[in-house]
Amino acid sequence: MESLMHTFRKFCKSFANSFLLVVFSCLSHLSSLKGDLAYNYRGPRTKDDIIEFANRVAGPLIRPLPSQHMFEHVRKRHRVFFVYVGGESPLKEKYIEVASELIVYTYFFSASEDMLPEYLTLPELPAVVVFKDGTYFVYDEYEDGDLSSWINRERFQGYLTVDGFTLYELGDTGKLVAIAVIDDKNSSVEHTRLKSIIQEVARDYRDHFHRDFQFGHMDGNDYINSLLMDDLTIPTIVVLNTSNQQYFLPDRHIENTEDMVQFINNILDGTAEAQGGDGVLQRIKRIVYDAKSTVVSVFKSSPLLGCFLFGLPLGVISIMCYGICTADTDGGVDEHEAVKKENSDRELTDDGSEEEKEEEKNGKYAELSDGELKQKDLLEKKKD
């Protein structure tokens, strides 16, 4: 009986999670209310990510770490998290302010120095530390600038599996994104080699490039092709500027880490050619490309539906155009006949006027003849 109840509870919990996932996935924007603040969720529509977002926002902004045991538990559970170390200070006030804005993305903790592991050495207190990639990095106001900008840049791991949602979030960091576009299911040497090169640069050259670049790989080229409006053959490497939709492609084959470092340096010093952008021509090209892609995808997925969706409107438009053209032609014929009839009436009117003039003329001649006859009669009478 207990086993049956346990199975039933497990089923109900699984059903509830699945139901929430379906409901959340149908919404264009998910949000959570906390006091007077509303947090919008813009991450992947998966059950784990949505539940993680809800748990993160529902808890306190700054979670305390009362012991080293708790710190180790947090370090194992979270791939990226931030810790404020020290007492009350203006830096802590700024830290709380930033946490209220970025709690939707990452976790924020606070601890005293003796609650942290011995291997962690801080140059001064108070301090803000980010733990990720198996190590830690300390915030330096002089080198890293504003705390909010630094946390926004550092909330990602050094190397990521990139998708559409990740690229959208990376747009807020101002970083260029260096991606190895590969096929994860393809275990050939070329695919694994490019992925390894990006991973080595992200790990070994962090101090050189982490402020300007984010590294990762993308599985498949469908999304990247639609983003660049181009057909990239995989495997390949592309560097994206998500702020203005520009991208960079290497002018020669990337053979090793040194080639990749040289390519990145060329981008930084401006010698690498930028393609794409958000100019007027690119926007027009984007509209045409999106329309073409939509039509092609519809016909590929369902030819009959494509014929109905595009054939019916075209048929209606053709009938309307034919009706308009036919109406104009009939109107022109009627107008021509009306003009012709009007001219005929004018001719008849002119002919009638001429006949009247002739009659008047003949009448005058007739009147003159009668007068002459009268004069002749008078002359004859005088003679008599």
Side-chain angles (χ1 to χ4, degrees):
M1 187 66 180
E2 292 180 359
S3 177
L4 181 62
M5 291 298 295
H6 176 74
T7 303
F8 179 74
R9 285 194 297 268
K10 187 176 181 181
F11 170 78
C12 291
K13 183 177 180 181
S14 176
F15 177 79
N17 289 335
S18 300
F19 177 76
L20 288 174
L21 175 61
V22 171
V23 173
F24 288 161
S25 298
C26 294
L27 299 175
S28 58
H29 294 284
L30 302 178
S31 61
S32 176
L33 296 176
K34 187 173 184 178
D36 296 332
L37 300 176
Y39 297 104
N40 292 325
Y41 177 69
R42 298 182 295 179
R45 263 52 176 174
T46 64
K47 181 184 72 175
D48 293 338
D49 289 310
I50 293 172
I51 293 175
E52 180 74 8
F53 164 77
N55 292 334
R56 185 166 58 246
V57 175
L61 286 178
I62 312 297
R63 292 170 166 83
L65 295 176
S67 64
Q68 291 190 9
H69 176 74
M70 179 62 69
F71 172 83
E72 291 298 329
H73 173 74
V74 169
R75 188 176 64 84
K76 292 177 181 179
R77 183 178 178 184
H78 303 298
R79 290 174 292 184
V80 179
F81 63 96
F82 295 84
V83 179
Y84 173 82
V85 185
E88 298 296 327
S89 68
L91 180 61
K92 185 175 183 179
E93 295 177 2
K94 182 64 176 177
Y95 182 73
I96 296 173
E97 179 183 342
V98 174
S100 66
E101 297 175 1
L102 301 179
I103 189 64
V104 294
Y105 300 117
T106 189
Y107 285 90
F108 295 88
F109 296 90
S110 65
S112 58
E113 188 176 13
D114 57 349
M115 296 301 170
L116 299 177
E118 296 180 356
Y119 65 81
L120 191 148
T121 57
L122 299 175
E124 61 180 0
L125 292 178
V128 177
V129 186
V130 57
F131 293 86
K132 65 177 184 177
D133 301 329
T135 184
Y136 67 93
F137 305 96
V138 183
Y139 167 67
D140 187 333
E141 183 178 1
Y142 298 102
E143 293 186 3
D144 300 317
D146 182 62
L147 178 62
S148 177
S149 299
W150 179 76
I151 291 178
N152 198 35
R153 291 195 305 267
E154 296 294 336
R155 63 187 176 90
F156 296 96
Q157 292 178 280
Y159 184 88
L160 298 170
T161 299
V162 181
D163 56 14
F165 285 109
T166 308
L167 281 178
Y168 179 77
E169 291 184 355
L170 287 171
D172 297 333
T173 65
K175 290 184 178 183
L176 300 177
V177 187
I179 304 173
V181 185
I182 61 174
D183 184 359
D184 279 338
K185 298 178 181 179
N186 192 326
S187 58
S188 64
V189 176
E190 187 66 13
H191 286 257
T192 56
R193 184 179 62 83
L194 288 183
K195 182 179 178 180
S196 299
I197 288 174
I198 296 293
Q199 288 175 331
E200 290 175 10
V201 173
R203 182 184 65 249
D204 300 338
Y205 292 85
R206 172 189 157 79
D207 293 339
H208 296 83
F209 301 134
H210 80 279
R211 287 185 176 87
D212 301 307
F213 285 86
Q214 176 66 51
F215 299 92
H217 80 274
M218 178 176 286
D219 181 21
N221 62 347
D222 292 338
Y223 183 83
I224 205 72
N225 284 345
S226 64
L227 188 65
L228 306 184
M229 296 180 289
D230 198 358
D231 293 326
L232 295 181
T233 57
I234 56 175
T236 188
I237 288 176
V238 60
V239 176
L240 302 175
N241 187 339
T242 55
S243 62
N244 60 9
Q245 299 182 10
Q246 287 185 340
Y247 63 95
F248 302 86
L249 295 174
D251 55 359
R252 57 193 177 90
H253 195 61
I254 302 295
E255 296 288 347
N256 47 46
T257 304
E258 288 72 22
D259 290 342
M260 186 64 200
V261 171
Q262 182 61 47
F263 176 45
I264 293 175
N265 286 327
N266 290 341
I267 295 173
L268 291 175
D269 61 26
T271 57
E273 180 183 1
Q275 303 181 47
D278 55 358
V280 176
L281 293 178
Q282 287 295 321
R283 293 178 184 179
I284 296 174
K285 184 180 177 182
R286 167 62 62 186
I287 294 173
V288 174
Y289 181 86
D290 289 343
K292 178 183 175 183
S293 300
T294 301
V295 173
V296 171
S297 62
V298 169
F299 274 98
K300 280 185 177 180
S301 60
S302 179
L304 292 178
L305 179 62
C307 292
F308 176 77
L309 290 177
F310 297 101
L312 181 61
L314 289 176
V316 173
I317 293 172
S318 300
I319 293 173
M320 292 175 62
C321 292
Y322 176 78
I324 293 171
C325 294
T326 304
D328 289 341
T329 303
D330 294 341
V333 172
D334 294 340
E335 185 178 353
H336 179 69
E337 291 180 354
V339 172
K340 187 176 180 181
K341 185 176 180 181
E342 185 178 352
N343 291 335
S344 299
D345 293 339
R346 286 180 180 176
E347 290 178 359
L348 291 174
T349 304
D350 293 341
D351 291 341
S353 300
E354 291 177 359
E355 290 177 359
E356 290 176 358
K357 290 178 181 179
E358 289 247 349
E359 289 179 359
E360 290 178 359
K361 190 175 181 181
N362 293 334
K364 288 181 180 180
Y365 285 144
E367 290 177 359
L368 289 173
S369 299
D370 293 340
E372 290 176 355
L373 289 173
K374 290 179 180 180
Q375 289 179 358
K376 286 181 180 181
D377 290 339
L378 291 171
L379 289 173
E380 287 179 358
K381 288 179 179 182
K382 287 182 179 181
K383 288 180 180 181
D384 293 339

